[in-house]
Amino acid sequence: MQPKDLSFVMFYAIPMNDTLPLLDTTQLSPMPAAEPAKILLLYGSLRERSYSRLAAEEAARILRYLGATTRLYDPTGLPLPDAADETHPKVAELRDSATWCDGFVWSSPERHGAMTGIMKAQIDWIPLNMGGVRPTQGKTLAVMQVCGGSQSFNAVNQLRILGRWMRLITIPNQSSVPKAYLEFDEAGRMKPSPYYQRIVDVMEELMKFTLLTRDIRDDLVNRYSERIETAAEVSARVNQRSI
């Protein structure tokens, strides 16, 4: 497949003589699905100039270029976990998008050596099980963080733990942007740098893992322990003393 010039998509963020090839989906699956990969992006700051949001927006542009459909969730107005119920409009919106998507991007600032409470609240509102549907299990995840100072990996390491707990397939690559206030221009676009190139790498890898796994997701997470647990529950229900 011929490389495609990115300049019209990324503006000046990739040198004009550089190209990013579109994904050859025939190499990822013998029968690639016709529907685009669906990716939900979450970010962890409510600031007007939120660098975690700007990084997520750059990621979304790259994903759309690679053929994905994206949603960027705005956490403004999302209540703290347990401060409202699942009927709250912002909770319902988040859960609907988590069910809709094939994969996630989580982009958090690092605050006090950890992800932000805003980031954690969004993840905590996504249940492991929702009406018999598991909105995260077997889906893909890419993790990113932005730093106010020198480069750190505390937030992405924590996000990886949460991804495993949510039964997500967390891809190997990740992004950490140090001194993020220096990496974006006045229009909010990321400047050319190795940090930008890493985000391109991460999104390309996320797309590959998503296309590789989404059509066999149910089989990948079909667990023996859960199958026998279900069988035991059925046995307990039909073998009661009163029958």
Side-chain angles (χ1 to χ4, degrees):
M1 185 171 292
Q2 291 296 317
K4 188 174 181 179
D5 185 10
L6 269 179
S7 58
F8 76 99
V9 176
M10 305 303 174
F11 301 104
Y12 49 80
I14 286 182
M16 291 294 289
N17 63 349
D18 201 357
T19 57
L20 177 67
L22 296 173
L23 297 180
D24 184 357
T25 57
T26 61
Q27 299 298 313
L28 301 174
S29 172
M31 295 182 65
E35 186 176 350
K38 297 173 290 189
I39 307 297
L40 173 62
L41 299 98
L42 307 180
Y43 58 91
S45 169
L46 300 180
R47 292 179 177 176
E48 182 177 352
R49 186 170 171 84
S50 163
Y51 295 108
S52 63
R53 188 194 76 242
L54 295 179
E57 289 175 349
E58 290 292 348
R61 292 185 185 99
I62 298 163
L63 288 166
R64 290 193 295 270
Y65 170 81
L66 293 172
T69 300
T70 64
R71 288 185 187 178
L72 187 71
Y73 177 76
D74 179 0
T76 304
L78 180 70
L80 290 173
D82 302 326
D85 61 30
E86 63 275 6
T87 63
H88 189 284
K90 291 300 294 186
V91 176
E93 178 190 351
L94 175 59
R95 291 188 172 192
D96 175 71
S97 293
T99 303
W100 163 85
C101 72
D102 299 311
F104 295 84
V105 175
W106 292 349
S107 175
S108 179
E110 180 170 318
R111 186 171 296 166
H112 301 310
M115 77 181 79
T116 61
I118 296 163
M119 189 79 238
K120 183 63 162 57
Q122 293 174 79
I123 298 168
D124 284 348
W125 269 119
I126 303 173
L128 290 172
N129 193 301
M130 188 168 59
V133 176
R134 287 174 172 156
T136 56
Q137 179 168 266
K139 297 181 179 182
T140 52
L141 169 65
V143 295
M144 308 194 303
Q145 75 170 77
V146 294
C147 310
S150 58
Q151 191 173 44
S152 169
F153 300 93
N154 291 321
V156 288
N157 287 339
Q158 291 180 328
L159 291 171
R160 284 187 175 278
I161 292 171
L162 286 174
R164 184 170 68 246
W165 188 259
M166 302 295 284
R167 296 180 171 182
L168 290 159
I169 301 170
T170 308
I171 67 169
N173 213 340
Q174 62 187 23
S175 168
S176 174
V177 181
K179 297 182 179 179
Y181 56 90
L182 298 177
E183 298 301 323
F184 294 85
D185 65 19
E186 292 183 0
R189 294 303 306 272
M190 197 168 183
K191 301 174 184 177
S193 73
Y195 303 120
Y196 178 82
Q197 293 171 11
R198 173 58 67 89
I199 292 179
V200 176
D201 288 346
V202 173
M203 294 307 110
E204 188 177 32
E205 187 172 290
L206 176 66
M207 282 290 290
K208 290 177 180 178
F209 272 79
T210 303
L211 295 174
L212 273 168
T213 61
R214 68 172 178 174
D215 293 333
I216 57 172
R217 183 165 61 222
D218 291 341
D219 190 53
L220 287 174
V221 296
N222 188 346
R223 291 178 172 84
Y224 167 75
S225 61
E226 293 177 354
R227 291 196 302 272
I228 62 169
E229 180 184 23
T230 301
E233 289 173 352
V234 172
S235 177
R237 190 166 61 247
V238 301
N239 291 294
Q240 298 180 26
R241 293 177 183 272
S242 59
I243 297 178

